[in-house]
Amino acid sequence: MTAPPDDCLARNEWICGEYLSTRRHILLDAVAQHLQLTAISVLIALAVAVPLAVLARRWGLAAGPVLAATTVLYTIPSLAMFSLLLPVYGLSAALVVAGLVLYSLTLLVRNILAGLRAVPEETRQAARGMGYGPVRLLLTVELPLALPAGMAGLRIATVSAVSLVTVGAIVGFGGLGNLIYSGMNTYFKAQVLTASVLCVVIAVAADLLILAVQRLMTPWNRASRG
């Protein structure tokens, strides 16, 4: 009988320290791409979502079309979304970013709009009585009070983006999804498990980081709970 190989890579085990040590640079590159795609997508979506939510809050007639449009975008399956965007962006990282931005808009617009709508009308009236104009009212009163709801949407959108980045592996820009996809094709157990666990770690870390930032930016919430 032939003795089993000593190398866990040769035995194709799910948990293999040898894989981590020999593929460290590959993993770091994949993590970096994953983080980059997620961050760029969420930041662009946030930059678009805030004006849309403000528009929907200021002009009630715009709320319906804005919410409807973003909801329809969210219902499109990810593979179909990337296919629809392919003629515009080609096989590029921009294709993945564009798809993630469109998916993130629904979560961000709804939460930011909900936060703006929750600002008490008497607070707005008091600010106007103190001479606040529309822009100052928005920046110093409405947006800060809407921050908890907006940050909740940001947390959900970020975690969703971390997950959806992996689908970008179909065009070669999926971060850790590239490793998962290639590992599944070759049944490379250690690669599939390691990349999957790192995706979960990134999602949890991003959620906790945004939660910590939210608490720093809303000290009045901590004071009220205390």
Side-chain angles (χ1 to χ4, degrees):
M1 296 179 62
T2 304
D6 295 331
D7 191 347
C8 59
L9 284 175
R11 294 194 301 269
N12 194 27
E13 295 180 351
W14 287 104
I15 301 175
C16 181
E18 187 71 17
Y19 174 79
L20 295 175
S21 60
T22 58
R23 308 302 203 278
R24 182 172 62 253
H25 295 300
I26 295 176
L27 288 171
L28 290 176
D29 289 343
V31 169
Q33 185 182 77
H34 209 105
L35 292 173
Q36 184 180 32
L37 291 170
T38 299
I40 292 174
S41 302
V42 173
L43 289 175
I44 293 175
L46 186 61
V48 176
V50 172
L52 285 177
V54 172
L55 175 67
R57 177 67 184 88
R58 287 284 188 266
W59 294 278
L61 292 177
V66 168
L67 292 176
T70 54
T71 300
V72 169
L73 290 172
Y74 198 75
T75 61
I76 301 175
S78 55
L79 291 178
M81 176 70 80
F82 289 157
S83 298
L84 292 172
L85 295 172
L86 187 59
V88 180
Y89 296 100
L91 297 175
S92 65
L95 171 67
V96 180
V97 170
L100 295 179
V101 168
L102 294 177
Y103 279 126
S104 300
L105 283 178
T106 300
L107 301 169
L108 292 171
V109 170
R110 285 186 175 274
N111 280 271
I112 295 171
L113 180 57
L116 291 172
R117 285 175 170 172
V119 176
E121 186 58 32
E122 56 269 24
T123 302
R124 291 190 177 92
Q125 294 296 340
R128 293 190 186 101
M130 296 172 62
Y132 281 44
V135 175
R136 187 182 179 190
L137 175 63
L138 174 66
L139 296 179
T140 62
V141 177
E142 293 180 310
L143 285 179
L145 291 178
L147 194 60
M151 293 295 281
L154 182 61
R155 290 171 61 192
I156 299 172
T158 302
V159 172
S160 297
V162 171
S163 174
L164 288 171
V165 165
T166 58
V167 183
I170 62 173
V171 295
F173 295 93
L176 291 165
N178 293 338
L179 300 182
I180 296 173
Y181 182 74
S182 63
M184 292 180 66
N185 283 338
T186 58
Y187 200 56
F188 192 172
K189 296 178 181 179
Q191 180 165 296
V192 172
L193 181 62
T194 303
S196 300
V197 169
L198 285 174
C199 283
V200 175
V201 170
I202 290 174
V204 173
D207 184 60
L208 293 176
L209 176 62
I210 296 173
L211 179 60
V213 171
Q214 176 185 337
R215 290 180 175 175
L216 288 174
M217 296 178 68
T218 56
W220 57 88
N221 281 347
R222 298 200 307 271
S224 63
R225 285 196 297 266

